[in-house]
């Protein structure tokens, strides 16, 4: 859904997605500030030099180093084993920069780093949901990225969310979304005039000018205008109002705008105003503020395949790679089973504590949680009663 952005209390009338970002990730650096408090981010090690465990010269501990020390990540299976991580470098960086200055153990410092970054993510989601009156307990958390599912359960616990869905290839999830997203171009021409003074030919000329520009830019990008859909909209308001509403005129004309389609646009605006504000002032004159054109070129979409559980599923033990000590609380070791995700058949379930590893990501299943492979090969985590 597209929203109007507000920046510095000023409305920006360009298409925008309603998103919020958090300066927290695997590369977020941990430090002790001047007041002696542990902080995480917003500074980041990025991918180069990256966290200390990358062995590329990073000396300041990052969230990934804390994940390493707490046992969440396998140093020998990063990127499916293509890159080895240096556990000692993570330990030494946290000890020198965090643990020793704060007079705590390395494990406690690592757990503190994780706790802070998990709380920051949860707090941002909580505020975002509260602004919209959303009850998060009724929703499913969808983590992605290489480290999303490492922290997902901890974030879900903070938000009182009991269900997590990890897509089949979380590390490539953003790239998949980009590849499946339609190409969309938006154009706008502002011209304030009473609707009664806007002739159909004048409005048609403006839209045709926008369409000509769109066709030129599509050709420059190697796309055909014949494959695109052109959608026209008008920004209108009642005379004297300080804001306008967008009303689509798609389907209100054939070929060119005429007097009948301009009247239909006015009726569409009254209808939209009533839908949003609960009333319409049909006796008031209307002003046209802007002409908008949206051009959409559809691209092939990813088609999920639904699989039935095999008649003779492979035993879960076949996906078991071993066991590893994980420190969920920073103090007590918890022996956790390690599974290879590609070895888990549709329909099988595992119980936490467990770690599910794959080439592009790691998923943590804490104690009290179960993980199930659904018919689309999503990994669905649910918290027990």
């Amino acid at each position: 859904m597209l929203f109007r952005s507000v920046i510095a209390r000023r409305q920006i009338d360009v298409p925008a997605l309603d998103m919020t970002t958090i300066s927290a990730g695997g590369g977020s650096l941990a430090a002790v500030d001047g007041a002696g408090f542990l902080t995480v981010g917003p500074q980041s090690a990025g991918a180069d030099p990256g966290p200390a465990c990358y062995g590329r010269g990073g000396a300041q501990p990052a969230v990934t180093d804390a994940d390493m020390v707490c046992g969440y990540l396998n140093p020998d299976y990063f990127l499916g084993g293509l890159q080895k991580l240096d556990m000692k470098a993570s330990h030494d960086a946290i000890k020198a920069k965090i643990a020793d200055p704060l007079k705590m153990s390395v494990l406690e410092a690592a757990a503190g780093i994780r706790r802070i970054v998990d709380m920051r993510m949860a707090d941002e989601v909580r505020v975002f949901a509260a602004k919209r009156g959303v009850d998060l307990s009724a929703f499913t958390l969808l983590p992605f990225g290489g480290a999303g599912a490492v922290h997902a359960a901890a974030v879900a616990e903070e938000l009182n969310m009991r269900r997590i869905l990890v897509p089949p290839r979380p590390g490539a999830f953003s790239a998949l979304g980009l590849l499946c997203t339609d190409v969309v171009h938006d154009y706008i021409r502002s011209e304030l005039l009473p609707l009664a003074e806007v002739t159909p030919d004048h409005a048609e000329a403006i839209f045709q000018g926008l369409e000509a520009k769109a066709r030129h830019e599509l050709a420059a990008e190697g796309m055909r205008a014949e494959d695109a859909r052109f959608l026209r909209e008008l920004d209108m308001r009642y005379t004297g109002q300080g804001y306008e509403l967008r009303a689509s005129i798609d389907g209100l004309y054939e070929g060119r705008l005429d007097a009948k389609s301009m009247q239909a646009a006015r009726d569409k605006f009254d209808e939209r105003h009533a839908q949003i504000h609960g009333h319409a002032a049909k006796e008031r004159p209307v002003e046209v503020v802007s002409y908008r054109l949206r051009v959409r070129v559809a691209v092939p979409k990813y088609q999920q395949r639904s699989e039935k559980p095999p008649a003779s599923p492979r035993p879960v033990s076949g996906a078991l790679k071993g066991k590893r000590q994980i420190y969920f609380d920073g103090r007590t070791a918890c022996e956790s089973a390690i599974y290879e995700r590609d070895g888990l058949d549709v329909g099988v379930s595992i119980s936490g504590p467990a770690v599910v590893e794959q080439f592009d990501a790691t998923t943590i299943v804490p104690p009290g949680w179960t993980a199930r492979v659904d018919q689309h090969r999503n990994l669905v985590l649910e918290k027990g009663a």
Side-chain angles (χ1 to χ4, degrees), residues 151-312:
H151 293 261
V155 173
E157 293 268 12
E158 291 291 339
L159 298 172
N160 195 32
M161 300 178 74
R162 307 181 67 86
R163 192 171 186 269
I164 300 168
L165 188 147
V166 184
R169 290 290 178 261
F173 193 71
S174 293
L176 175 63
L178 179 63
L179 291 173
C180 296
T181 300
D182 292 345
V183 177
V184 176
H185 291 181
D186 285 292
Y187 303 87
I188 184 171
R189 163 85 179 273
S190 295
E191 183 185 69
L192 182 61
L193 277 177
L195 179 61
E197 297 180 15
V198 178
T199 66
D201 288 343
H202 180 74
E204 182 66 31
I206 292 177
F207 279 121
Q208 286 192 9
L210 295 176
E211 289 177 4
K213 182 179 181 181
R215 293 175 190 276
H216 176 76
E217 292 187 356
L218 287 175
E221 295 181 19
M223 292 178 284
R224 302 192 316 159
E226 294 79 6
D227 298 328
R229 185 182 180 192
F230 293 78
L231 302 174
R232 295 177 175 184
E233 295 178 316
L234 288 172
D235 285 357
M236 293 182 283
R237 68 188 184 189
Y238 293 121
T239 302
Q241 280 186 315
Y243 58 90
E244 57 273 359
L245 293 177
R246 292 168 62 173
S248 172
I249 59 174
D250 189 40
L252 302 183
Y253 63 96
E254 294 183 10
R256 292 178 60 88
L257 295 172
D258 55 23
K260 184 178 179 181
S261 55
M262 297 301 287
Q263 179 58 49
R266 161 65 198 254
D267 296 338
K268 191 73 172 285
F269 168 74
D270 287 330
E271 177 185 333
R272 180 152 175 75
H273 197 282
Q275 288 176 343
I276 294 178
H277 300 291
H279 64 91
K282 296 184 178 182
E283 72 286 354
R284 294 277 300 279
V286 168
E287 295 174 331
V288 175
V289 179
S290 299
Y291 301 79
R292 293 179 182 268
L293 176 70
R294 165 159 289 193
V295 182
R296 181 183 296 273
V297 181
V299 302
K301 299 296 186 289
Y302 170 72
Q303 299 293 328
Q304 281 192 325
R305 294 183 302 170
S306 181
E307 300 181 32
K308 294 181 179 180
S312 300

Side-chain angles (χ1 to χ4, degrees), residues 139-141 161-165 369 372 380-382:
F139 285 78
T140 297
L141 183 65
M161 300 178 74
R162 307 181 67 86
R163 192 171 186 269
I164 300 168
L165 188 147
W369 288 73
R372 170 179 55 86
V380 181
L381 280 63
E382 294 183 297

